[in-house]
Amino acid sequence: MKPTLMNRRRLLGTGAALGASTLFAPSILRAQSGVVKVAGIHASPVENAWNSVLHAAMVAANEEGVIEYTFSEGVSGTDYPRAMREYAEAGNVLIVGESYAVEREARTVAGDYPDTAFLMGSSGEAAGDNFGVFGTWNWEAAYLCGMLAGAMTETGTVGSVGAIPIPEVNMLINGFADGVKAVNPDVNHVVSFIGTFFDPPKAREAGLAQIDSGADILFGERIGTADAAQERGIKAIGSLIDYTPRYPDTVFANALWSFRPLLDSALADATSGNPVGKNYTPLSLMEDGGNDITYVEGVAPADAVAKMEEVRAAIKAGEFEVLRNFDEPA
């Protein structure tokens, strides 16, 4: 079964359903509730790194035959609450999305549909029994990437391009910066925010400006940053997804994030009748398989990789804690 894409006009006109993904065996979920209808509402195109992680998890579940996955992308803030209502009316068991731009409105919608479970990317707290939240906690992997960048920079300046200085973005960039400083305290870290969650050309321009200011390694919290690095012949680090196949000579490391553990837990709660009104974010921790680093061997110095791997093992074992810093990077 292929996931169904609902464009904005068709979505608002029909109120079609969406779907979700799971690691639980299909036979178990079918025995509990049959094929589950789950909705995915994406404010950005699904090619956007953050949305693509959610989308990939839900597509995988759809391909397992566990859920019906219909999704919409590019839904504006003004249309978002309306989309939530129409998907709830369509009988979806779980609606996955993002409420960063519509926190108050999203909670109002959830309150009007107490029998529908919502799992929303959010900077706020969970609400009631049916409004669960999650954040993007791949700052541990970003720290490890920063350790490599700090050992590799030749100019003594690295850069980070982010979306908007919300806590989750700040934490990720701060994690990278802390990793850099851990191995090279004298490195200068320049930060730029593009003011939106999806604008690759704008991220590219921000990256070019950082390179002009001396940065020789860029951390791309936003898609488009690696284009600047590729254009100028320097190295870059990706976030959320693996950018190396797309930029094989540019992106040498990635701070990966997996939505799968969070989605599995929320789906299990929703199908068993348990409240989903809680924060699922901690399931993003590295020790739970929620985030990790991937890197190209032979690019970073061997001793830098060895030090990074020691810290990586310690994080996974629960023996090393990377500071969570939600403050806007200076």
Side-chain angles (χ1 to χ4, degrees):
M1 174 172 34
K2 291 185 177 181
T4 302
L5 167 64
M6 302 299 291
N7 63 30
R8 176 181 176 279
R9 179 177 298 175
R10 195 171 164 206
L11 161 68
L12 297 179
T14 66
L18 294 88
S21 111
T22 179
L23 287 176
F24 292 97
S27 59
I28 295 176
L29 281 180
R30 284 201 181 98
Q32 292 178 343
S33 59
V35 177
V36 181
K37 294 172 68 176
V38 182
I41 311 176
H42 302 279
S44 299
V46 293
E47 67 182 291
N48 184 40
W50 187 87
N51 299 91
S52 73
V53 175
L54 276 64
H55 183 62
M58 291 186 277
V59 166
N62 187 85
E63 292 175 346
E64 291 167 6
V66 176
I67 56 99
E68 270 181 54
Y69 176 44
T70 310
F71 69 97
S72 59
E73 57 183 335
V75 180
S76 69
T78 54
D79 285 339
Y80 210 94
R82 186 174 169 187
M84 292 174 64
R85 291 182 183 280
E86 300 212 0
Y87 283 122
E89 293 284 351
N92 289 280
V93 173
L94 177 67
I95 295 176
V96 177
E98 53 199 282
S99 59
Y100 296 108
V102 288
E103 294 288 0
R104 181 180 300 176
E105 297 90 337
R107 285 166 170 73
T108 297
V109 172
D112 291 341
Y113 295 92
D115 295 329
T116 302
F118 296 84
L119 178 59
M120 308 297 284
S122 172
S123 295
E125 301 296 330
D129 289 334
N130 68 325
F131 190 88
V133 298
F134 68 92
T136 311
W137 277 13
N138 61 323
W139 92 99
E140 294 168 313
Y143 179 92
L144 299 178
C145 290
M147 290 184 67
L148 297 183
M152 291 171 59
T153 179
E154 297 179 356
T155 64
T157 297
V158 299
S160 293
V161 177
I164 299 169
I166 60 174
E168 289 78 14
V169 173
N170 294 343
M171 178 177 62
L172 184 59
I173 292 176
N174 287 329
F176 170 74
D178 287 345
V180 171
K181 299 291 186 181
V183 299
N184 197 338
D186 296 326
V187 171
N188 179 39
H189 179 221
V190 293
V191 181
S192 302
F193 293 101
I194 63 174
T196 181
F197 288 109
F198 187 76
D199 193 335
K202 199 167 184 179
R204 170 186 166 273
E205 289 298 325
L208 290 174
Q210 292 184 351
I211 296 170
D212 288 340
S213 69
D216 63 350
I217 298 177
L218 298 183
F219 176 62
E221 193 275 328
R222 285 298 105 183
I223 186 171
T225 308
D227 292 309
Q230 183 181 57
E231 185 175 326
R232 295 292 181 85
I234 69 167
K235 297 299 183 183
I237 294 168
S239 177
L240 301 177
I241 63 174
D242 186 354
Y243 284 98
T244 300
R246 189 183 307 183
Y247 306 93
D249 299 320
T250 302
V251 177
F252 71 96
N254 298 274
L256 302 181
W257 175 59
S258 174
F259 183 61
R260 203 62 186 263
L262 291 73
L263 183 58
D264 293 343
S265 182
L267 186 59
D269 285 338
T271 56
S272 62
N274 293 327
V276 298
K278 58 186 179 183
N279 188 347
Y280 290 86
T281 307
L283 292 172
S284 288
L285 290 173
M286 190 175 291
E287 61 183 328
D288 292 317
N291 79 99
D292 205 350
I293 184 177
T294 182
Y295 59 93
V296 179
E297 294 185 6
V299 177
D303 59 341
V305 172
K307 291 178 182 178
M308 181 276 292
E309 285 288 5
E310 289 180 5
V311 175
R312 182 188 192 188
I315 295 173
K316 290 186 176 183
E319 299 170 352
F320 184 90
E321 183 178 0
V322 181
L323 176 68
R324 286 200 305 268
N325 182 359
F326 294 112
D327 296 337
E328 182 172 346

